[in-house]
Amino acid sequence: MDLFRPAGEAPVERAGAASAAASTAAAAEAAEPAGAPAPPTRPTPMRRRETAETLGRRQREISVAEFFQKNRHLLGFDNPAKALLTATKEAVDNSLDACEEAGILPAIEIAIEELAEDRFRLAITDNGPGIVRGQIPRVFGKLLYGSKFHTMRQSRGQQGIGISAAGMYAQLTTGQPVRITSRTGKKKPAHFFEIQIDTAKNEPKVLTDREVEWDHEHGTRVQMELAGTYKKGRRSVDDYIMQTALANPHATVHYAPPKGDPFERDRLTQDLPREPLAIKPHPYGVELGVLISMLGDTKGRTLKTALQADFSRVSAHVAEEICRAAGLNPEAKPRSLGVQQIEALFRAIPKVKVMAPPSNVIVPVGEALILEGLKQMVKADFYTATTRSPAVYRGNPFLVEAGLAYGGGLPAEELVDLWRFANRVPLQYQQSACAITRAALSTDWRSYGLQQGKGALPVGSMVLLVHVASVWVPFTSESKEAIASYPEIIRELRLGLQECGRRLGAFVRHRQRLAEAEKKKSYIQAYIPHIGIALREILGLSKKDEEKVVEVLTDTLERTRLP
Amino acid sequence: MDLFRPAGEAPVERAGAASAAASTAAAAEAAEPAGAPAPPTRPTPMRRRETAETLGRRQREISVAEFFQKNRHLLGFDNPAKALLTATKEAVDNSLDACEEAGILPAIEIAIEELAEDRFRLAITDNGPGIVRGQIPRVFGKLLYGSKFHTMRQSRGQQGIGISAAGMYAQLTTGQPVRITSRTGKKKPAHFFEIQIDTAKNEPKVLTDREVEWDHEHGTRVQMELAGTYKKGRRSVDDYIMQTALANPHATVHYAPPKGDPFERDRLTQDLPREPLAIKPHPYGVELGVLISMLGDTKGRTLKTALQADFSRVSAHVAEEICRAAGLNPEAKPRSLGVQQIEALFRAIPKVKVMAPPSNVIVPVGEALILEGLKQMVKADFYTATTRSPAVYRGNPFLVEAGLAYGGGLPAEELVDLWRFANRVPLQYQQSACAITRAALSTDWRSYGLQQGKGALPVGSMVLLVHVASVWVPFTSESKEAIASYPEIIRELRLGLQECGRRLGAFVRHRQRLAEAEKKKSYIQAYIPHIGIALREILGLSKKDEEKVVEVLTDTLERTRLP
């Protein structure tokens, strides 16, 4: 045993001779702790190892802000280019969510200013409902604070982390607070805040809180300064903005990038999307532990009424059936049940037929608007889109939309461009980990007239757009970059892609036929004058008759559809 | 605008005709919200959309336990097989860490019992220092609670999430509490606890807390019942245990799997690994926001002494140089500095030469023990291992070890088996996302005598072992499955792999030469009797002379090294 050991000196490694007998500069330094260089021969103070008591004294709570500051790659702040994109995205997603929840047609302004090559000022302004003064500090200065976590409703944000994490990243890299201007109505004053996060406590620190003049009747502006890198091309902020406009045809989007031309897109429709409704959990998706705490918290006075009240699609009849299958009394008090009884209930649920969850809670973009958006953004020869009927995975309703633009000026010799969306938010990273990609790879695009290598996206002049909407999108990571491959989701994705693929195939084949017919016609056309000459010689026609014959033959050919 | 809208009825989709006019069963249900079926013609009550006020009232804090319960895939609980592995791993990692911190040679017992095909009881018992009674509830019943988050020291655990997340998963899937028995010394009583997590508050709920008799003088036992799947083969619990034993030669490991033979491995050495020391952050790795809060919290009275006290490798001279490069007075009060001045300081740091961080804080397994472990676990013809000198990425010291076992009974026609480790913990998922894999792929194994396809691991009868140890391993996700590809780490990995590869190459070439020489000898050998006969006929030798000639020639051939 080895309880005591000198601190200032590295004991000789018993086995890893190469490392212990290291002769590099780094290892030479290693023998001298900072500030207290001790020659290896001098006796050094002894240091005791830990006991349960010393270990216990060092245990303490870690704030969730500290956790995410140290692990900020989990939230999409791994590198400067991605950080600029993620911060923009979090602010824009919040603006769009807020406008829609308030029934306002969104008008979003994004301005990114380059302060230095590695430093940017970001300002996102919306015409949303604004945020009441008392909530502003926590919405922007506290992680895991929000209104959406406990609801099952289609929305962009979910956890109440994104915008405060963006602010924390800004503060970490530039020391600057987040600046918020918000106004909740014409008759209300606008409030201006400067907020920092106290990461050790995960609480906001308000540096400034004052009323200001603002020319917006209602809305919110978020400004931050952060370290970042601005680039054009794939996975850029520009790409994100363009795709966001595409998936949100009801929004007006103005974007002033740090370099290059501004992007402006007026809304394509004056109709707000139908409001997505919140639903209760479906019994098929519940887990035992959740069921236990639901029955502990329920307002239902009997087991039967509790099941009816707290779950989607559980009628009195279904509730009774579940109780019967579990061998429990429907009139039992929910809080009187033991773990084993609740487990029996849990195991009984799959045995009872329960209607699928209501699917009108999912709001698609819609075929017509996907088409219109694609036509606006992509120059192509052929467009199609499809919105599938809602389906269900693990008790959660979801819906798939697909669209494509083909031909025209798109590059013909490269892999097709795949634009992925979840609840109208473009997904730009982790393409290969995403169910959408997996479904696109496993679709046979050769049967629709495209080239495709094994295990690869098809090659051709095409943009492929896929949107998954759900009350709960199953992302593979907290940075929301890829959708998990539930079999039900993969199935719907493939059906949607196949539908678009078939239409594309018909177009591609039709175009091939046209091109071939055109070729044949041009062959025949070349002979017509010679036929005219031959006829004149054989029949002794006049020059005028000959011209007439040529004219009639040309006309006939033009009106003929060659096989 | 669309502020008011009937709730019971889905408005007709303006564009997505296919989805709105859906005629499937799912969509038909959709028109009838649960519990309140309303024929589409009946007028329905109006529902107002949100305002800033109604939105504000719904904002609330989300507990980190709720967050991780809903996002448990972030912590490695995505599916039943992985969940069983992750829970085992979290408990074993904690046991090993505790033993080493207390200077105890670890003896770990792992028992997994199958209660049903999808349900297991897990018990991990160690001979560690135990946990003081007052800390037990929070260590096991609160996420983000621990002793290691704020220290930079090589250890398995880091965030104080793992074991309580495993308990939360157990509770979620079986409703059962985590059971803990712990004793801190011979003269102390053993305590038995049953603990649940109140996920809404992220606080422990103690169901049982009593003294018990226990035949261990000190140590901790964790028991939980959880939903899971047990399988053999790659990424199994069995694999994890075997690899853990390999990377922890100083630990005795007993494992009783749910099926099949127990695994027992006595420790290979009686020496504890050198104790990894905690270090202060290195100035080259600090971020502006962190620097700001360090200077706000420092105990140093001047800027100069603050820099010296709070950073690794900052001597009085270096501190002065940094201040000078920033145009700041070294005697300034740290708390008097504004953000702009601290930013100047931040920008000055890279301009000043600061010694690399001390590297004796990293503790390798060591070449000899890697070799011994490999020989015990893998039957092969050739073994080698190397421990590299420590290096630095982003201010953090780290170290790479590599080893391999080649030939013998290993399958020859498959990709080599890659065993990845971080701080002695086997990494079993996300192989393709890991820096170790990337380095192995980009090493040219053909020059060492193996086959290798482009962008693939080499093919051959080989197990490749790679260990990365650091005060802060940069994992790509919270589930700690893959190491991020910092260029400095990739470089060290490649150097380590190349070193092992060169030794392997020498062995492979030597063996090839031997095999070829053997082949040549066997050709020649076949001719020796004929030479004997020929000589007898030409020279008229006796039968005895002929035998003598054959004998001498055979003997000469055997002692000859053929090229």
Side-chain angles (χ1 to χ4, degrees):
Chain A
M1 288 267 232
D2 200 351
L3 275 163
F4 300 91
R5 140 168 316 161
E9 187 190 325
V12 173
E13 178 68 42
R14 353 154 219 70
S19 72
S23 59
T24 63
E29 288 173 8
E32 305 167 18
T41 49
R42 197 179 72 179
T44 43
M46 305 302 251
R47 174 155 145 33
R48 213 176 182 289
R49 284 209 174 180
E50 303 279 3
T51 64
E53 287 72 24
T54 61
L55 280 171
R57 277 196 291 278
R58 287 197 292 108
Q59 302 277 9
R60 75 173 198 70
E61 188 168 349
I62 298 144
S63 105
V64 69
E66 291 174 308
F67 171 78
F68 278 117
Q69 176 166 316
K70 207 159 176 180
N71 293 288
R72 58 175 202 249
H73 54 273
L74 298 182
L75 302 177
F77 294 95
D78 346 12
N79 63 58
K82 203 169 164 188
L84 186 63
L85 170 68
T86 304
T88 309
K89 186 167 164 164
E90 295 298 347
V92 171
D93 288 358
N94 280 8
S95 289
L96 289 169
D97 269 349
C99 288
E100 287 167 26
E101 286 183 33
I104 296 167
L105 280 167
I108 315 283
E109 275 171 54
I110 304 110
I112 305 182
E113 198 183 329
E114 186 176 290
L115 304 176
E117 203 190 330
D118 61 350
R119 193 160 173 164
F120 294 84
R121 182 180 293 136
L122 186 62
I124 282 94
T125 312
D126 67 44
N127 62 338
I131 302 168
V132 291
R133 174 169 169 268
Q135 289 290 357
I136 292 173
R138 276 172 296 179
V139 167
F140 293 93
K142 183 176 178 67
L143 271 70
L144 287 179
Y145 188 82
S147 59
K148 295 167 196 159
F149 188 80
H150 295 276
T151 350
M152 288 180 69
R153 170 158 53 176
Q154 179 184 345
S155 66
R156 297 168 182 79
Q158 203 85 43
Q159 326 264 24
I161 289 186
I163 193 66
S164 22
M168 189 166 72
Y169 172 82
Q171 171 180 335
L172 181 70
T173 54
T174 69
Q176 294 295 315
V178 183
R179 297 180 174 89
I180 301 108
T181 314
S182 193
R183 190 173 177 190
T184 60
K186 189 153 61 167
K187 292 175 186 164
K188 308 274 178 63
H191 295 279
F192 176 76
F193 277 83
E194 291 190 309
I195 290 168
Q196 286 195 325
I197 299 188
D198 180 342
T199 43
K201 296 187 190 137
N202 187 32
E203 287 292 342
K205 262 196 307 206
V206 175
L207 309 185
T208 306
D209 166 8
R210 63 164 192 263
E211 291 187 8
V212 288
E213 290 296 309
W214 201 33
D215 56 358
H216 289 62
E217 277 189 14
H218 52 84
T220 302
R221 171 176 296 162
V222 184
Q223 290 167 288
M224 46 183 106
E225 268 184 51
L226 71 169
T229 308
Y230 173 75
K231 57 186 187 65
K232 300 264 177 195
R234 281 207 186 175
R235 307 196 290 192
S236 62
V237 180
D238 299 10
D239 243 27
Y240 161 76
I241 302 279
M242 183 271 288
Q243 292 187 21
T244 299
L246 180 56
N248 296 275
H250 61 294
T252 287
V253 179
H254 285 212
Y255 167 46
K259 290 168 191 165
D261 294 332
F263 170 93
E264 310 220 337
R265 207 284 309 266
D266 289 337
R267 63 179 61 88
L268 302 178
T269 169
Q270 297 301 320
D271 295 326
L272 257 182
R274 181 159 53 83
E275 185 183 7
L277 300 178
I279 58 166
K280 291 171 193 161
H282 191 274
Y284 284 175
V286 78
E287 282 176 293
L288 178 57
V290 173
L291 184 62
I292 292 172
S293 52
M294 282 174 85
L295 291 175
D297 297 341
T298 185
K299 284 173 185 153
R301 291 204 296 176
T302 66
L303 182 52
K304 179 178 147 188
T305 55
L307 291 173
Q308 270 182 271
D310 296 346
F311 284 104
S312 173
R313 298 307 202 193
V314 176
S315 61
H317 176 69
V318 167
E320 274 168 21
E321 266 197 276
I322 294 174
C323 295
R324 197 178 317 129
L328 295 173
N329 179 1
E331 302 302 323
K333 296 253 168 298
R335 266 171 287 267
S336 73
L337 300 175
V339 167
Q340 293 201 333
Q341 289 170 304
I342 301 181
E343 190 169 348
L345 194 72
F346 174 72
R347 299 208 179 266
I349 290 171
K351 295 176 194 154
V352 175
K353 186 156 171 43
V354 186
M355 211 185 239
S359 51
N360 61 342
V361 299
I362 307 296
V363 183
V365 177
E367 294 172 359
L369 284 169
I370 291 178
L371 277 183
E372 201 175 332
L374 272 177
K375 283 177 187 165
Q376 195 180 57
M377 301 291 180
V378 185
K379 271 186 194 150
D381 298 330
F382 175 77
Y383 302 86
T384 187
T386 181
T387 298
R388 297 207 32 92
S389 299
V392 176
Y393 81 91
R394 229 179 127 179
N396 299 311
F398 75 100
L399 176 152
V400 164
E401 300 183 279
L404 61 84
Y406 175 82
L410 295 169
E413 299 304 319
E414 288 172 25
L415 295 182
V416 303
D417 228 348
L418 179 59
W419 294 359
R420 299 172 292 130
F421 298 84
N423 285 358
R424 295 175 186 252
V425 178
L427 310 180
Q428 300 193 284
Y429 281 85
Q430 295 200 24
Q431 176 167 301
S432 61
C434 185
I436 292 176
T437 311
R438 199 193 268 202
L441 292 180
S442 63
T443 299
D444 181 9
W445 293 94
R446 280 167 306 182
S447 64
Y448 309 133
L450 297 186
Q451 297 170 44
Q452 185 180 21
K454 205 183 161 180
L457 286 175
V459 169
S461 45
M462 184 162 93
V463 166
L464 193 57
L465 172 158
V466 183
H467 178 216
V468 174
S470 179
V471 294
W472 179 255
V473 179
F475 289 108
T476 60
S477 72
E478 191 29 40
S479 49
K480 295 187 179 176
E481 294 163 337
I483 299 170
S485 295
Y486 280 91
E488 299 88 347
I489 297 181
I490 291 279
R491 184 173 175 276
E492 280 298 315
L493 284 167
R494 295 189 61 184
L495 290 172
L497 290 169
Q498 283 165 3
E499 197 169 324
C500 288
R502 276 192 298 273
R503 297 184 200 156
L504 171 69
F507 171 79
V508 169
R509 278 189 300 275
H510 178 67
R511 196 157 77 161
Q512 280 167 350
R513 271 201 306 272
L514 282 187
E516 275 162 32
E518 212 45 58
K519 215 157 98 188
K520 284 186 194 163
K521 276 186 193 171
S522 71
Y523 290 150
I524 299 172
Q525 209 146 24
Y527 281 90
I528 288 178
H530 300 280
I531 295 172
I533 294 165
L535 286 178
R536 189 180 59 178
E537 283 174 4
I538 294 164
L539 304 178
L541 300 181
S542 67
K543 182 73 189 164
K544 204 177 166 191
D545 284 337
E546 183 200 330
E547 277 165 11
K548 173 96 187 198
V549 165
V550 167
E551 193 181 311
V552 170
L553 285 174
T554 305
D555 190 50
T556 310
L557 179 67
E558 257 157 32
R559 280 183 289 111
T560 306
R561 278 190 76 169
L562 291 170
Chain B
M1 289 265 232
D2 201 349
L3 275 162
F4 300 90
R5 143 168 315 162
E9 188 190 323
V12 173
E13 178 69 43
R14 351 154 221 70
S19 71
S23 58
T24 64
E29 288 172 9
E32 305 166 20
T41 48
R42 199 179 71 179
T44 42
M46 304 303 252
R47 175 156 145 34
R48 214 180 181 287
R49 284 205 173 182
E50 304 278 5
T51 64
E53 288 71 27
T54 61
L55 280 170
R57 277 195 293 276
R58 286 198 292 107
Q59 302 276 10
R60 75 173 197 72
E61 188 168 349
I62 298 144
S63 106
V64 68
E66 291 175 306
F67 172 78
F68 278 117
Q69 175 166 319
K70 206 159 177 181
N71 294 289
R72 57 175 203 247
H73 53 274
L74 298 182
L75 302 178
F77 295 95
D78 345 12
N79 63 59
K82 202 168 164 188
L84 186 63
L85 171 68
T86 304
T88 309
K89 185 168 166 165
E90 295 298 347
V92 171
D93 288 357
N94 279 9
S95 289
L96 289 169
D97 269 350
C99 288
E100 287 167 26
E101 285 182 36
I104 297 168
L105 279 168
I108 315 283
E109 276 171 52
I110 303 109
I112 304 181
E113 198 184 329
E114 186 175 291
L115 304 176
E117 203 190 330
D118 61 349
R119 192 160 172 164
F120 294 83
R121 183 181 292 137
L122 186 63
I124 282 95
T125 312
D126 67 45
N127 62 337
I131 302 168
V132 291
R133 175 170 167 268
Q135 289 290 356
I136 292 173
R138 274 172 296 179
V139 167
F140 293 93
K142 185 177 176 66
L143 271 69
L144 286 179
Y145 188 82
S147 59
K148 295 167 196 159
F149 187 81
H150 294 276
T151 345
M152 288 181 68
R153 169 156 55 176
Q154 179 184 345
S155 65
R156 296 169 183 79
Q158 204 84 42
Q159 326 263 25
I161 290 185
I163 192 64
S164 24
M168 188 166 72
Y169 173 80
Q171 170 180 335
L172 182 69
T173 56
T174 69
Q176 294 295 315
V178 183
R179 296 179 174 88
I180 300 107
T181 313
S182 191
R183 189 173 177 190
T184 60
K186 186 151 67 168
K187 293 176 185 163
K188 308 274 177 65
H191 295 280
F192 176 75
F193 276 82
E194 292 190 310
I195 290 168
Q196 286 196 323
I197 299 188
D198 180 341
T199 43
K201 295 187 191 139
N202 186 32
E203 287 293 342
K205 260 195 310 208
V206 176
L207 308 184
T208 306
D209 167 7
R210 63 164 193 263
E211 292 188 7
V212 288
E213 291 297 309
W214 201 32
D215 56 358
H216 290 61
E217 278 188 12
H218 52 84
T220 301
R221 172 175 294 161
V222 184
Q223 290 167 288
M224 47 183 108
E225 268 184 50
L226 70 170
T229 307
Y230 173 74
K231 57 185 189 66
K232 300 262 178 196
R234 281 208 185 173
R235 306 197 290 193
S236 61
V237 180
D238 299 11
D239 243 28
Y240 162 75
I241 303 278
M242 182 271 288
Q243 292 187 21
T244 299
L246 180 57
N248 296 275
H250 61 293
T252 288
V253 178
H254 285 212
Y255 167 46
K259 290 169 193 165
D261 294 333
F263 170 94
E264 309 220 337
R265 206 287 306 269
D266 289 337
R267 64 178 60 88
L268 302 178
T269 170
Q270 297 301 319
D271 295 326
L272 257 181
R274 180 159 54 81
E275 185 183 6
L277 301 178
I279 57 166
K280 290 173 195 161
H282 191 274
Y284 284 175
V286 79
E287 281 175 292
L288 178 57
V290 172
L291 184 61
I292 292 172
S293 51
M294 283 173 86
L295 291 175
D297 297 340
T298 186
K299 285 173 185 152
R301 291 203 297 176
T302 66
L303 183 52
K304 178 178 148 188
T305 54
L307 291 174
Q308 270 181 272
D310 296 345
F311 284 104
S312 172
R313 298 307 201 193
V314 175
S315 61
H317 175 69
V318 168
E320 274 167 22
E321 265 198 277
I322 295 175
C323 294
R324 196 178 318 128
L328 294 172
N329 179 2
E331 304 302 322
K333 297 252 169 298
R335 266 171 286 269
S336 72
L337 299 175
V339 168
Q340 292 201 333
Q341 288 171 304
I342 301 181
E343 190 169 348
L345 194 71
F346 174 72
R347 298 208 179 265
I349 290 172
K351 296 177 193 154
V352 175
K353 185 157 170 46
V354 186
M355 212 185 238
S359 50
N360 60 341
V361 298
I362 306 295
V363 183
V365 177
E367 292 172 359
L369 285 168
I370 291 178
L371 276 183
E372 201 176 331
L374 271 178
K375 284 178 188 165
Q376 195 180 57
M377 301 292 180
V378 185
K379 272 185 195 150
D381 298 328
F382 175 77
Y383 301 87
T384 188
T386 182
T387 297
R388 295 203 38 87
S389 300
V392 177
Y393 82 91
R394 230 181 123 177
N396 298 312
F398 75 100
L399 175 152
V400 164
E401 299 184 278
L404 61 84
Y406 175 82
L410 295 168
E413 299 303 320
E414 287 173 25
L415 294 182
V416 304
D417 227 350
L418 179 59
W419 295 358
R420 299 172 293 131
F421 297 86
N423 284 358
R424 295 175 186 253
V425 177
L427 309 180
Q428 300 192 285
Y429 281 84
Q430 294 201 25
Q431 176 166 302
S432 62
C434 186
I436 292 177
T437 311
R438 198 192 269 202
L441 292 181
S442 63
T443 299
D444 181 8
W445 293 95
R446 280 167 306 180
S447 64
Y448 309 133
L450 298 186
Q451 297 169 45
Q452 186 180 22
K454 204 183 161 181
L457 285 175
V459 169
S461 45
M462 185 162 94
V463 167
L464 193 57
L465 173 157
V466 183
H467 179 215
V468 174
S470 179
V471 294
W472 179 256
V473 179
F475 290 108
T476 59
S477 72
E478 191 29 39
S479 51
K480 295 187 177 176
E481 295 163 337
I483 300 171
S485 295
Y486 280 91
E488 298 88 345
I489 297 181
I490 291 279
R491 183 173 175 276
E492 280 299 314
L493 285 166
R494 296 189 61 182
L495 289 173
L497 290 169
Q498 285 166 1
E499 197 169 323
C500 289
R502 275 192 298 273
R503 297 183 201 158
L504 171 69
F507 171 79
V508 169
R509 277 189 299 275
H510 178 67
R511 198 158 77 162
Q512 279 167 352
R513 269 199 306 273
L514 282 188
E516 274 164 32
E518 211 47 56
K519 215 158 97 189
K520 283 185 195 164
K521 276 184 193 172
S522 70
Y523 289 150
I524 299 172
Q525 210 147 23
Y527 279 89
I528 289 177
H530 301 277
I531 295 171
I533 293 165
L535 286 177
R536 190 180 60 179
E537 283 173 5
I538 295 164
L539 304 176
L541 299 182
S542 69
K543 182 72 187 164
K544 203 176 165 190
D545 282 337
E546 183 200 329
E547 277 166 10
K548 172 96 186 191
V549 164
V550 167
E551 192 182 311
V552 170
L553 284 176
T554 305
D555 189 51
T556 311
L557 179 67
E558 256 160 31
R559 281 185 286 110
T560 306
R561 278 192 75 169
L562 291 170

